[in-house]
Every structure is written in C-alpha cells, then in structure tokens.
Amino acid sequence: MTFKRSFAPVVDRHTRILILGSLPGDASLRAGRYYAHPRNQFWQLTGSAIGCDLAAIDYDERLATLLQHGVGLWDVVQSGKREGSLDAALREVEHNDLAEMVQKAPELVAIGFNGATSARIGRQILAPSPHLTLIDLPSSSPAYAAMPLAEKTRSWLALRPFLDQRMG
C-alpha cells in the first residue's frame, strides 16, 4: 500500500464554512491540487452553492474565490495508506487536528463533510458544538455515481445560508 498525505488547509480568518474531504485521490495528489480529477463534481457543486462558475476559472482563482465567499477546504485524514483513490481502501489513518482548526477560525459556523467517510471520521473527531452546524453532503467523487448531479446540487445548496454575507 502507498502512503499518502493530505494537503495544507485553504482557510483564512474569515472562513465561515469548512468543507472537509477524506483524503485526496491519486489524480489530486499527482496534480498537487484539491479535486483535480476531471470527473470530480466538487467545483460544480461548490460553484452552485456560492453562485459562481468555479469550473471555468483557473485553480488559484478558484481557491481565492472560495475564500472570498468564506469557504475553506481541508481533509479529515492527515495521512494513511491506500492503493488507488477509494476511501474503502484507507488503512493506518491519522487524522488532521480539526479541533485546533476550529479554534483558529473565529468566524467558522459550519462544516460540510464531502462524502460519507469524511462525515463518519469528522463527526467522531469534532465534539458536538452549539456554535457549529455539521452538514453531511453527498460525495463529489466520480466513484459516487448513485446520485444524479441535480440531486447532489440540491444537497450542496444547504451551504448557502452559511456563506459570507458580505459577498451576497
């Protein structure tokens, strides 16, 4: 099995929503970018939530646009062993310090879990908090094809009420 590590978080002090994946897949790790697989629907889904065509702009501008809207990115898994990109293959997992991240983001009000593995791990790490809303989102991964894009989009729109209101 191959040892893999997550990327650094994309957050700033104005982050209101933190979207957590599990661990980047092989295409993302090769590219050194979040959600780099061409069939991953993350940029479409998040773009729908914030009202911006993220897929049409370059990667650095995508990240800047997310931050402008109060959206940050990270993963629940810091490192682990995995062949391929499927979450079911994860072994010897070490978690990112989500509790510390929550403390460092004073405006954080919601966490969106991108997929079931992210939600399962993230909810175990984060104690219930009256100040945080935890939202389970359908996976944007191309491996999760059971739900049509339109239905996924409706679910991801649950992020809208937590967006940075200065942008709206």
PDB file of all heavy atoms in Angstrom, residues 9-18 70 72 74 97-111 131-132:
ATOM      1  N   PRO A   9      -4.401  23.096   4.670  1.00  0.00           N
ATOM      2  CA  PRO A   9      -5.745  23.675   4.594  1.00  0.00           C
ATOM      3  C   PRO A   9      -5.755  24.970   3.797  1.00  0.00           C
ATOM      4  O   PRO A   9      -4.764  25.701   3.760  1.00  0.00           O
ATOM      5  CB  PRO A   9      -6.109  23.928   6.058  1.00  0.00           C
ATOM      6  CG  PRO A   9      -4.805  23.993   6.770  1.00  0.00           C
ATOM      7  CD  PRO A   9      -3.838  23.137   6.013  1.00  0.00           C
ATOM      8  N   VAL A  10      -6.887  25.239   3.170  1.00  0.00           N
ATOM      9  CA  VAL A  10      -7.126  26.510   2.487  1.00  0.00           C
ATOM     10  C   VAL A  10      -8.156  27.225   3.347  1.00  0.00           C
ATOM     11  O   VAL A  10      -9.361  26.968   3.256  1.00  0.00           O
ATOM     12  CB  VAL A  10      -7.658  26.282   1.049  1.00  0.00           C
ATOM     13  CG1 VAL A  10      -8.000  27.611   0.394  1.00  0.00           C
ATOM     14  CG2 VAL A  10      -6.651  25.497   0.223  1.00  0.00           C
ATOM     15  N   VAL A  11      -7.699  28.074   4.231  1.00  0.00           N
ATOM     16  CA  VAL A  11      -8.564  28.809   5.153  1.00  0.00           C
ATOM     17  C   VAL A  11      -7.944  30.170   5.439  1.00  0.00           C
ATOM     18  O   VAL A  11      -6.755  30.379   5.219  1.00  0.00           O
ATOM     19  CB  VAL A  11      -8.772  28.060   6.505  1.00  0.00           C
ATOM     20  CG1 VAL A  11      -9.485  26.745   6.307  1.00  0.00           C
ATOM     21  CG2 VAL A  11      -7.455  27.846   7.206  1.00  0.00           C
ATOM     22  N   ASP A  12      -8.758  31.064   5.927  1.00  0.00           N
ATOM     23  CA  ASP A  12      -8.253  32.322   6.472  1.00  0.00           C
ATOM     24  C   ASP A  12      -9.137  32.694   7.661  1.00  0.00           C
ATOM     25  O   ASP A  12     -10.043  31.954   8.026  1.00  0.00           O
ATOM     26  CB  ASP A  12      -8.165  33.428   5.408  1.00  0.00           C
ATOM     27  CG  ASP A  12      -9.500  33.869   4.846  1.00  0.00           C
ATOM     28  OD1 ASP A  12     -10.566  33.593   5.469  1.00  0.00           O
ATOM     29  OD2 ASP A  12      -9.502  34.504   3.775  1.00  0.00           O
ATOM     30  N   ARG A  13      -8.864  33.819   8.264  1.00  0.00           N
ATOM     31  CA  ARG A  13      -9.597  34.173   9.489  1.00  0.00           C
ATOM     32  C   ARG A  13     -11.078  34.470   9.240  1.00  0.00           C
ATOM     33  O   ARG A  13     -11.870  34.531  10.151  1.00  0.00           O
ATOM     34  CB  ARG A  13      -8.930  35.326  10.234  1.00  0.00           C
ATOM     35  CG  ARG A  13      -8.795  36.607   9.471  1.00  0.00           C
ATOM     36  CD  ARG A  13      -8.061  37.664  10.293  1.00  0.00           C
ATOM     37  NE  ARG A  13      -8.799  38.897  10.461  1.00  0.00           N
ATOM     38  CZ  ARG A  13      -9.785  39.112  11.310  1.00  0.00           C
ATOM     39  NH1 ARG A  13     -10.205  38.179  12.083  1.00  0.00           N
ATOM     40  NH2 ARG A  13     -10.367  40.291  11.392  1.00  0.00           N
ATOM     41  N   HIS A  14     -11.473  34.619   7.959  1.00  0.00           N
ATOM     42  CA  HIS A  14     -12.873  34.903   7.625  1.00  0.00           C
ATOM     43  C   HIS A  14     -13.637  33.660   7.167  1.00  0.00           C
ATOM     44  O   HIS A  14     -14.780  33.781   6.715  1.00  0.00           O
ATOM     45  CB  HIS A  14     -12.945  35.981   6.541  1.00  0.00           C
ATOM     46  CG  HIS A  14     -12.315  37.270   6.953  1.00  0.00           C
ATOM     47  ND1 HIS A  14     -12.825  38.059   7.955  1.00  0.00           N
ATOM     48  CD2 HIS A  14     -11.188  37.887   6.520  1.00  0.00           C
ATOM     49  CE1 HIS A  14     -12.044  39.116   8.122  1.00  0.00           C
ATOM     50  NE2 HIS A  14     -11.055  39.033   7.265  1.00  0.00           N
ATOM     51  N   THR A  15     -12.998  32.494   7.272  1.00  0.00           N
ATOM     52  CA  THR A  15     -13.660  31.261   6.845  1.00  0.00           C
ATOM     53  C   THR A  15     -14.889  31.005   7.712  1.00  0.00           C
ATOM     54  O   THR A  15     -14.792  30.949   8.932  1.00  0.00           O
ATOM     55  CB  THR A  15     -12.686  30.072   6.910  1.00  0.00           C
ATOM     56  OG1 THR A  15     -11.597  30.322   6.008  1.00  0.00           O
ATOM     57  CG2 THR A  15     -13.376  28.770   6.544  1.00  0.00           C
ATOM     58  N   ARG A  16     -16.045  30.861   7.050  1.00  0.00           N
ATOM     59  CA  ARG A  16     -17.305  30.594   7.748  1.00  0.00           C
ATOM     60  C   ARG A  16     -17.743  29.143   7.573  1.00  0.00           C
ATOM     61  O   ARG A  16     -18.414  28.585   8.415  1.00  0.00           O
ATOM     62  CB  ARG A  16     -18.405  31.518   7.225  1.00  0.00           C
ATOM     63  CG  ARG A  16     -18.157  32.990   7.542  1.00  0.00           C
ATOM     64  CD  ARG A  16     -19.272  33.874   7.005  1.00  0.00           C
ATOM     65  NE  ARG A  16     -20.600  33.405   7.344  1.00  0.00           N
ATOM     66  CZ  ARG A  16     -21.223  33.609   8.521  1.00  0.00           C
ATOM     67  NH1 ARG A  16     -20.608  34.255   9.478  1.00  0.00           N
ATOM     68  NH2 ARG A  16     -22.448  33.159   8.724  1.00  0.00           N
ATOM     69  N   ILE A  17     -17.395  28.564   6.426  1.00  0.00           N
ATOM     70  CA  ILE A  17     -17.723  27.170   6.117  1.00  0.00           C
ATOM     71  C   ILE A  17     -16.427  26.452   5.787  1.00  0.00           C
ATOM     72  O   ILE A  17     -15.646  26.928   4.958  1.00  0.00           O
ATOM     73  CB  ILE A  17     -18.639  27.062   4.876  1.00  0.00           C
ATOM     74  CG1 ILE A  17     -19.917  27.859   5.053  1.00  0.00           C
ATOM     75  CG2 ILE A  17     -18.943  25.597   4.569  1.00  0.00           C
ATOM     76  CD1 ILE A  17     -20.718  27.988   3.765  1.00  0.00           C
ATOM     77  N   LEU A  18     -16.206  25.322   6.413  1.00  0.00           N
ATOM     78  CA  LEU A  18     -15.054  24.491   6.097  1.00  0.00           C
ATOM     79  C   LEU A  18     -15.577  23.211   5.462  1.00  0.00           C
ATOM     80  O   LEU A  18     -16.363  22.485   6.078  1.00  0.00           O
ATOM     81  CB  LEU A  18     -14.261  24.174   7.365  1.00  0.00           C
ATOM     82  CG  LEU A  18     -13.004  23.329   7.197  1.00  0.00           C
ATOM     83  CD1 LEU A  18     -12.000  24.017   6.273  1.00  0.00           C
ATOM     84  CD2 LEU A  18     -12.368  23.057   8.563  1.00  0.00           C
ATOM     85  N   GLY A  70     -15.961  33.022   2.010  1.00  0.00           N
ATOM     86  CA  GLY A  70     -15.927  32.465   3.356  1.00  0.00           C
ATOM     87  C   GLY A  70     -15.868  30.951   3.406  1.00  0.00           C
ATOM     88  O   GLY A  70     -16.200  30.349   4.427  1.00  0.00           O
ATOM     89  N   GLY A  72     -13.645  27.448   3.147  1.00  0.00           N
ATOM     90  CA  GLY A  72     -12.325  26.854   3.232  1.00  0.00           C
ATOM     91  C   GLY A  72     -12.367  25.376   2.874  1.00  0.00           C
ATOM     92  O   GLY A  72     -13.438  24.768   2.833  1.00  0.00           O
ATOM     93  N   TRP A  74     -10.273  21.445   3.402  1.00  0.00           N
ATOM     94  CA  TRP A  74      -9.285  20.609   4.073  1.00  0.00           C
ATOM     95  C   TRP A  74      -9.782  19.176   4.020  1.00  0.00           C
ATOM     96  O   TRP A  74     -10.799  18.894   3.371  1.00  0.00           O
ATOM     97  CB  TRP A  74      -9.069  21.077   5.502  1.00  0.00           C
ATOM     98  CG  TRP A  74      -7.707  20.751   6.061  1.00  0.00           C
ATOM     99  CD1 TRP A  74      -6.563  20.483   5.355  1.00  0.00           C
ATOM    100  CD2 TRP A  74      -7.337  20.676   7.440  1.00  0.00           C
ATOM    101  NE1 TRP A  74      -5.516  20.262   6.211  1.00  0.00           N
ATOM    102  CE2 TRP A  74      -5.964  20.364   7.497  1.00  0.00           C
ATOM    103  CE3 TRP A  74      -8.037  20.841   8.620  1.00  0.00           C
ATOM    104  CZ2 TRP A  74      -5.272  20.216   8.695  1.00  0.00           C
ATOM    105  CZ3 TRP A  74      -7.347  20.698   9.816  1.00  0.00           C
ATOM    106  CH2 TRP A  74      -5.982  20.396   9.860  1.00  0.00           C
ATOM    107  N   ASP A  97      -5.909  17.671  12.749  1.00  0.00           N
ATOM    108  CA  ASP A  97      -6.363  18.239  14.019  1.00  0.00           C
ATOM    109  C   ASP A  97      -7.501  19.227  13.759  1.00  0.00           C
ATOM    110  O   ASP A  97      -7.298  20.443  13.699  1.00  0.00           O
ATOM    111  CB  ASP A  97      -5.199  18.905  14.748  1.00  0.00           C
ATOM    112  CG  ASP A  97      -5.528  19.253  16.193  1.00  0.00           C
ATOM    113  OD1 ASP A  97      -6.728  19.259  16.552  1.00  0.00           O
ATOM    114  OD2 ASP A  97      -4.580  19.503  16.952  1.00  0.00           O
ATOM    115  N   LEU A  98      -8.691  18.674  13.604  1.00  0.00           N
ATOM    116  CA  LEU A  98      -9.855  19.502  13.287  1.00  0.00           C
ATOM    117  C   LEU A  98     -10.227  20.416  14.446  1.00  0.00           C
ATOM    118  O   LEU A  98     -10.659  21.550  14.227  1.00  0.00           O
ATOM    119  CB  LEU A  98     -11.038  18.615  12.908  1.00  0.00           C
ATOM    120  CG  LEU A  98     -10.836  17.685  11.715  1.00  0.00           C
ATOM    121  CD1 LEU A  98     -12.096  16.874  11.461  1.00  0.00           C
ATOM    122  CD2 LEU A  98     -10.426  18.448  10.478  1.00  0.00           C
ATOM    123  N   ALA A  99     -10.068  19.936  15.664  1.00  0.00           N
ATOM    124  CA  ALA A  99     -10.415  20.762  16.825  1.00  0.00           C
ATOM    125  C   ALA A  99      -9.538  22.017  16.861  1.00  0.00           C
ATOM    126  O   ALA A  99     -10.030  23.116  17.141  1.00  0.00           O
ATOM    127  CB  ALA A  99     -10.260  19.951  18.107  1.00  0.00           C
ATOM    128  N   GLU A 100      -8.274  21.870  16.555  1.00  0.00           N
ATOM    129  CA  GLU A 100      -7.385  23.037  16.521  1.00  0.00           C
ATOM    130  C   GLU A 100      -7.790  23.988  15.404  1.00  0.00           C
ATOM    131  O   GLU A 100      -7.792  25.207  15.574  1.00  0.00           O
ATOM    132  CB  GLU A 100      -5.926  22.607  16.340  1.00  0.00           C
ATOM    133  CG  GLU A 100      -4.970  23.776  16.318  1.00  0.00           C
ATOM    134  CD  GLU A 100      -3.522  23.368  16.103  1.00  0.00           C
ATOM    135  OE1 GLU A 100      -3.198  22.175  16.210  1.00  0.00           O
ATOM    136  OE2 GLU A 100      -2.715  24.277  15.826  1.00  0.00           O
ATOM    137  N   MET A 101      -8.156  23.430  14.250  1.00  0.00           N
ATOM    138  CA  MET A 101      -8.590  24.265  13.135  1.00  0.00           C
ATOM    139  C   MET A 101      -9.823  25.079  13.523  1.00  0.00           C
ATOM    140  O   MET A 101      -9.913  26.266  13.219  1.00  0.00           O
ATOM    141  CB  MET A 101      -8.901  23.399  11.905  1.00  0.00           C
ATOM    142  CG  MET A 101      -9.470  24.176  10.739  1.00  0.00           C
ATOM    143  SD  MET A 101      -8.409  25.481  10.087  1.00  0.00           S
ATOM    144  CE  MET A 101      -7.120  24.475   9.383  1.00  0.00           C
ATOM    145  N   VAL A 102     -10.767  24.450  14.195  1.00  0.00           N
ATOM    146  CA  VAL A 102     -11.981  25.144  14.629  1.00  0.00           C
ATOM    147  C   VAL A 102     -11.612  26.311  15.554  1.00  0.00           C
ATOM    148  O   VAL A 102     -12.182  27.403  15.451  1.00  0.00           O
ATOM    149  CB  VAL A 102     -12.953  24.163  15.312  1.00  0.00           C
ATOM    150  CG1 VAL A 102     -14.075  24.896  16.026  1.00  0.00           C
ATOM    151  CG2 VAL A 102     -13.520  23.185  14.287  1.00  0.00           C
ATOM    152  N   GLN A 103     -10.643  26.104  16.422  1.00  0.00           N
ATOM    153  CA  GLN A 103     -10.222  27.160  17.340  1.00  0.00           C
ATOM    154  C   GLN A 103      -9.565  28.329  16.601  1.00  0.00           C
ATOM    155  O   GLN A 103      -9.652  29.469  17.023  1.00  0.00           O
ATOM    156  CB  GLN A 103      -9.246  26.598  18.381  1.00  0.00           C
ATOM    157  CG  GLN A 103      -9.874  25.591  19.312  1.00  0.00           C
ATOM    158  CD  GLN A 103     -11.044  26.162  20.085  1.00  0.00           C
ATOM    159  OE1 GLN A 103     -10.989  27.263  20.599  1.00  0.00           O
ATOM    160  NE2 GLN A 103     -12.129  25.403  20.143  1.00  0.00           N
ATOM    161  N   LYS A 104      -8.887  28.035  15.482  1.00  0.00           N
ATOM    162  CA  LYS A 104      -8.156  29.062  14.734  1.00  0.00           C
ATOM    163  C   LYS A 104      -9.033  29.825  13.735  1.00  0.00           C
ATOM    164  O   LYS A 104      -8.562  30.741  13.084  1.00  0.00           O
ATOM    165  CB  LYS A 104      -6.987  28.429  13.982  1.00  0.00           C
ATOM    166  CG  LYS A 104      -5.876  27.962  14.885  1.00  0.00           C
ATOM    167  CD  LYS A 104      -4.741  27.399  14.069  1.00  0.00           C
ATOM    168  CE  LYS A 104      -3.568  27.046  14.948  1.00  0.00           C
ATOM    169  NZ  LYS A 104      -2.442  26.505  14.187  1.00  0.00           N
ATOM    170  N   ALA A 105     -10.274  29.406  13.587  1.00  0.00           N
ATOM    171  CA  ALA A 105     -11.175  30.043  12.621  1.00  0.00           C
ATOM    172  C   ALA A 105     -12.325  30.700  13.381  1.00  0.00           C
ATOM    173  O   ALA A 105     -13.386  30.099  13.554  1.00  0.00           O
ATOM    174  CB  ALA A 105     -11.685  29.006  11.621  1.00  0.00           C
ATOM    175  N   PRO A 106     -12.140  31.932  13.833  1.00  0.00           N
ATOM    176  CA  PRO A 106     -13.126  32.568  14.712  1.00  0.00           C
ATOM    177  C   PRO A 106     -14.503  32.780  14.103  1.00  0.00           C
ATOM    178  O   PRO A 106     -15.490  32.881  14.820  1.00  0.00           O
ATOM    179  CB  PRO A 106     -12.474  33.907  15.065  1.00  0.00           C
ATOM    180  CG  PRO A 106     -11.503  34.177  13.960  1.00  0.00           C
ATOM    181  CD  PRO A 106     -11.019  32.818  13.513  1.00  0.00           C
ATOM    182  N   GLU A 107     -14.615  32.847  12.776  1.00  0.00           N
ATOM    183  CA  GLU A 107     -15.909  33.081  12.123  1.00  0.00           C
ATOM    184  C   GLU A 107     -16.572  31.792  11.633  1.00  0.00           C
ATOM    185  O   GLU A 107     -17.643  31.840  11.032  1.00  0.00           O
ATOM    186  CB  GLU A 107     -15.742  34.063  10.963  1.00  0.00           C
ATOM    187  CG  GLU A 107     -15.315  35.451  11.436  1.00  0.00           C
ATOM    188  CD  GLU A 107     -15.248  36.476  10.318  1.00  0.00           C
ATOM    189  OE1 GLU A 107     -15.971  36.322   9.303  1.00  0.00           O
ATOM    190  OE2 GLU A 107     -14.475  37.433  10.453  1.00  0.00           O
ATOM    191  N   LEU A 108     -15.936  30.645  11.889  1.00  0.00           N
ATOM    192  CA  LEU A 108     -16.457  29.367  11.412  1.00  0.00           C
ATOM    193  C   LEU A 108     -17.806  29.062  12.050  1.00  0.00           C
ATOM    194  O   LEU A 108     -17.946  29.090  13.270  1.00  0.00           O
ATOM    195  CB  LEU A 108     -15.458  28.243  11.734  1.00  0.00           C
ATOM    196  CG  LEU A 108     -15.751  26.885  11.119  1.00  0.00           C
ATOM    197  CD1 LEU A 108     -15.628  26.949   9.600  1.00  0.00           C
ATOM    198  CD2 LEU A 108     -14.791  25.838  11.680  1.00  0.00           C
ATOM    199  N   VAL A 109     -18.805  28.780  11.208  1.00  0.00           N
ATOM    200  CA  VAL A 109     -20.151  28.464  11.702  1.00  0.00           C
ATOM    201  C   VAL A 109     -20.659  27.112  11.203  1.00  0.00           C
ATOM    202  O   VAL A 109     -21.619  26.575  11.749  1.00  0.00           O
ATOM    203  CB  VAL A 109     -21.173  29.569  11.344  1.00  0.00           C
ATOM    204  CG1 VAL A 109     -20.861  30.862  12.078  1.00  0.00           C
ATOM    205  CG2 VAL A 109     -21.251  29.783   9.840  1.00  0.00           C
ATOM    206  N   ALA A 110     -20.020  26.569  10.148  1.00  0.00           N
ATOM    207  CA  ALA A 110     -20.498  25.303   9.590  1.00  0.00           C
ATOM    208  C   ALA A 110     -19.347  24.497   9.006  1.00  0.00           C
ATOM    209  O   ALA A 110     -18.376  25.057   8.499  1.00  0.00           O
ATOM    210  CB  ALA A 110     -21.545  25.556   8.505  1.00  0.00           C
ATOM    211  N   ILE A 111     -19.516  23.190   9.083  1.00  0.00           N
ATOM    212  CA  ILE A 111     -18.591  22.261   8.441  1.00  0.00           C
ATOM    213  C   ILE A 111     -19.401  21.365   7.521  1.00  0.00           C
ATOM    214  O   ILE A 111     -20.401  20.771   7.943  1.00  0.00           O
ATOM    215  CB  ILE A 111     -17.813  21.427   9.474  1.00  0.00           C
ATOM    216  CG1 ILE A 111     -16.889  22.355  10.272  1.00  0.00           C
ATOM    217  CG2 ILE A 111     -17.019  20.311   8.793  1.00  0.00           C
ATOM    218  CD1 ILE A 111     -16.035  21.688  11.303  1.00  0.00           C
ATOM    219  N   HIS A 131     -22.101  25.980  18.466  1.00  0.00           N
ATOM    220  CA  HIS A 131     -21.684  27.062  17.573  1.00  0.00           C
ATOM    221  C   HIS A 131     -21.385  26.596  16.152  1.00  0.00           C
ATOM    222  O   HIS A 131     -21.125  27.415  15.283  1.00  0.00           O
ATOM    223  CB  HIS A 131     -20.463  27.768  18.151  1.00  0.00           C
ATOM    224  CG  HIS A 131     -20.685  28.261  19.541  1.00  0.00           C
ATOM    225  ND1 HIS A 131     -21.565  29.273  19.845  1.00  0.00           N
ATOM    226  CD2 HIS A 131     -20.177  27.845  20.722  1.00  0.00           C
ATOM    227  CE1 HIS A 131     -21.575  29.478  21.150  1.00  0.00           C
ATOM    228  NE2 HIS A 131     -20.748  28.620  21.701  1.00  0.00           N
ATOM    229  N   LEU A 132     -21.410  25.276  15.925  1.00  0.00           N
ATOM    230  CA  LEU A 132     -21.099  24.737  14.605  1.00  0.00           C
ATOM    231  C   LEU A 132     -22.250  23.890  14.081  1.00  0.00           C
ATOM    232  O   LEU A 132     -22.777  23.050  14.804  1.00  0.00           O
ATOM    233  CB  LEU A 132     -19.868  23.839  14.664  1.00  0.00           C
ATOM    234  CG  LEU A 132     -18.494  24.469  14.623  1.00  0.00           C
ATOM    235  CD1 LEU A 132     -17.425  23.390  14.700  1.00  0.00           C
ATOM    236  CD2 LEU A 132     -18.304  25.310  13.377  1.00  0.00           C
TER     237      LEU A 132
END
